[in-house]
Amino acid sequence: MAGHSKWANIRHRKGAQDAKRGKIFTKIIKEISVAVKGSGPDVDANPRLRLALQNARGQNMPKDTIDRAIKKASGAGGEDYVEVTFEGYGPDGSAVFVETATDNNTRTVSAVRAAFNKYNGSLGKDGCLQFIFDRKGMFLIEKSLVEMEEDDFMMEMIDGGAEDVDFDDEEFISVVTAMEDFGSVSSKLGEMNIEAKEAGLQRIPTTSKALDPKHIPTFLKLIDVLEDHDDVQKVYHNVELSESDFED
């Protein structure tokens, strides 16, 4: 399925993402802030905060850093972030969806537009990619945490509401759910005392696109520039990539 292709692309980029751990922490802190500002600091009463903290632990964020982020967002004077999405087209007609959290929308719009323009793309109207991406729940689970046979684990996940379970990666199992079943699968993993390395709602392409090889370097540069911007939380695309595409 297209979701597996996209998830594979995410895994291919893991090395580059690990090299930007400071950026990852910044994005998680911002997600914690948005969650606390929206529904308060009580983890038990705030599912979004609970998920943000799970992802923080999955990235080995220090506990004192997490606690400071919650305290800052709970008090007066903390930044108020607005969530804004952008839809556009990259090189060779590729589809790119950008999620941001910003305290200065003018700055963010300018930066995102400039990135698209510089790397042979253009911003589109809101909703122009609505038929290209589906919202799905995604869980990335370390295989070492699962102490049962693959078939048994798959059945547990499907019983919990999963649409698909993929064991192809050497280190991780990916579990795909319908958006409305994300909570039930999360609860199922909790009952099994398994905490995902990464979890959340993702935008999964319904179809993938193979780029002309000459456009791939420019496309990857566009994705890198977008992901590297402080206001950008997540970037999704529909391009089919292989390991060799990430080699220098």
Side-chain angles (χ1 to χ4, degrees), residues 7 51 54 137-141 157 173-177 181-187 189 196-200 202:
W7 196 252
L51 180 60
Q54 176 182 319
M138 299 290 292
F139 298 85
L140 194 67
I141 301 161
M157 291 294 93
I173 303 167
S174 60
V175 179
V176 184
T177 80
D181 292 326
F182 179 84
S184 62
V185 173
S186 182
S187 296
L189 288 169
K197 175 75 172 179
E198 299 174 25
Q202 308 281 344

Side-chain angles (χ1 to χ4, degrees), residues 30-64:
K30 194 174 288 189
E31 174 63 21
I32 291 172
S33 177
V34 171
V36 171
K37 292 282 187 181
S39 300
D42 184 351
V43 176
D44 292 333
N46 189 337
R48 184 168 182 176
L49 177 59
R50 193 158 57 244
L51 180 60
L53 298 186
Q54 176 182 319
N55 286 329
R57 291 190 296 270
Q59 293 294 337
N60 298 314
M61 180 180 284
K63 184 177 185 301
D64 61 338

